[in-house]
Amino acid sequence: MRRPGRLGRLSRGLLAALVTAAVVVPVSAAAAHPEIPAPAPARLTAVSPATLDEAYAANRANAAEAARMAAGHGDHGRAAAVRSMADPGRHFLSFDARGSGRAVEIFGDLAKAERVAVLVPGSDTNLDTYERFRAGADALHKRLGIRGAVVAWLGYETPGTISPEVLTTGRAKDAAPELRGFIRELGGLNPQARVSLLCHSYGTVVCAEAAESAFRAAGSVRPSGPAGASHAAGTSRTPSGEGRAVGDLDVSDIALFGSPGTGADSVAGLHTGARVWAGRGADDWIVDVPHAKADLFGTTVGFGTDPVSPDFGARVFAAGDGGHSDYLKPGSVSLDNLARIVLGETSEVTHA
């Protein structure tokens, strides 16, 4: 066991400094972004494979109306961003342009894909910055080929990179029920597909909270065993030859990359039968973020154990030399390995 010392004090000091900066900066920033008018989301009946095209069309129409309203308000940046989302080639399972915005975009044939990757983004992802998130989803889909579909899941209000919220699990706790509900919805749209969660940056906190809260909601007690392994007989989308305990988030793999920590001390703390992977690029600034937790002003700040550390117990994949925003860059080591994880080609994944 490590004894607390200068490094621990330094980590707590850095966390305190980050909190102070995060509290001060957003005060002026919030006033600079007034609410942009937008329509309520399209009213849809329960989406099924037979009604996917109808849902896509309704959400494109909603995006077009949102663009008109934003332009009328004088926010031409938002208008341009959402106008592109009304293009006939775009496929949104859900869309909401109110506030910072939410969107769930599909790449590929969701109803027929053998493998589905759900991308969960990190901080500062919203409708105004959405194209960078979309570019990664598109690159992954092209790498997967016709067997795979990709979901760009902007299903929660992400925190700002410099904000109090980015240092706590609050936004993740709000997002977790939405993500769990979406995974269940995928089960109805394509019950045969293997689903993988690919979680970036603060999105790793969201995925961890979704896995843990699914377990808590079921009130299950999982027997002890190897980290990341499944322990009880169950259903379907867990790794081949493994079962799924009652209460599991029904995914085969969870990949954490560019993570500040998840809030869990180890893979065992996620209470999942999915394979859990972790990777970090050599030039990712997240390595300099203290992987620690501290109680400040009655709030737990920070996310604890580094997911690529041996103590966490994940399967560590090679992520190349890229930076924090490069994991889904075409041709990258990290993109290749994430695609192999989604496709179930686990023996081909290269390790750090």
Side-chain angles (χ1 to χ4, degrees):
M1 179 181 293
R2 295 189 182 92
R3 291 178 297 177
R6 185 173 180 274
L7 183 59
R9 292 193 296 273
L10 178 60
S11 294
R12 289 193 293 272
L14 285 170
L15 283 168
L18 285 168
V19 170
T20 302
V23 169
V24 172
V25 173
V27 172
S28 58
H33 293 85
E35 191 74 15
I36 302 168
R43 291 186 177 182
L44 302 171
T45 57
V47 180
S48 69
T51 62
L52 276 173
D53 287 341
E54 179 183 331
Y56 296 156
N59 286 313
R60 286 193 297 266
N62 191 269
E65 178 60 21
R68 288 190 288 271
M69 292 177 71
H73 184 68
D75 196 314
H76 300 293
R78 169 60 67 88
V82 296
R83 187 178 298 115
S84 68
M85 297 175 181
D87 184 275
R90 304 291 288 271
H91 301 121
F92 288 93
L93 199 57
S94 64
F95 180 82
D96 186 352
R98 297 174 298 181
S100 61
R102 300 187 186 192
V104 177
E105 186 168 13
I106 309 302
F107 299 78
D109 191 335
L110 184 60
K112 296 180 180 179
E114 297 174 22
R115 302 275 177 167
V116 176
V118 179
L119 292 180
V120 180
S123 60
D124 281 327
T125 307
N126 52 55
L127 293 189
D128 299 310
T129 64
Y130 181 80
E131 281 305 305
R132 69 187 184 194
F133 181 43
R134 181 180 190 272
D138 186 50
L140 177 62
H141 179 239
K142 289 174 178 175
R143 175 63 179 76
L144 293 178
I146 60 173
R147 292 177 57 201
V150 176
V151 180
W153 188 83
L154 178 55
Y156 78 111
E157 184 178 359
T158 67
T161 299
I162 302 177
S163 70
E165 291 82 10
V166 81
L167 300 172
T168 71
T169 59
R171 292 285 174 91
K173 289 181 183 297
D174 291 342
E178 302 295 330
L179 181 56
R180 287 163 48 200
F182 180 71
I183 297 299
R184 287 194 298 270
E185 183 180 355
L186 278 183
L189 291 170
N190 187 341
Q192 303 307 315
R194 290 289 184 93
V195 178
S196 299
L197 275 181
L198 306 189
C199 319
H200 178 236
S201 194
Y202 188 85
T204 65
V205 187
V206 174
C207 292
E209 181 61 33
E212 291 181 66
S213 62
F215 179 81
R216 291 194 302 267
S220 297
V221 178
R222 181 187 299 282
S224 61
S230 179
H231 306 286
T235 57
S236 60
R237 293 200 299 221
T238 46
S240 178
E242 298 177 5
R244 182 173 67 89
V246 174
D248 256 353
L249 195 64
D250 194 5
V251 297
S252 62
D253 295 85
I254 300 173
L256 314 168
F257 48 101
S259 177
T262 65
D265 293 330
S266 67
V267 167
L270 300 180
H271 301 289
T272 179
R275 289 177 292 238
V276 178
W277 306 79
R280 183 169 62 223
D283 199 34
D284 190 339
W285 56 260
I286 205 77
V287 70
D288 295 320
V289 172
H291 286 91
K293 287 191 271 189
D295 185 24
L296 297 173
F297 316 117
T299 299
T300 300
V301 178
F303 305 110
T305 311
D306 185 347
V308 301
S309 72
D311 288 345
F312 192 75
R315 307 177 186 212
V316 180
F317 65 89
D321 297 327
H324 192 65
S325 300
D326 296 333
Y327 291 95
L328 297 174
K329 185 177 180 180
S332 65
V333 172
S334 50
L335 177 63
D336 282 346
N337 276 329
L338 287 166
R340 291 168 183 141
I341 290 168
V342 174
L343 292 171
E345 298 169 355
T346 56
S347 63
E348 303 300 315
V349 174
T350 58
H351 297 276

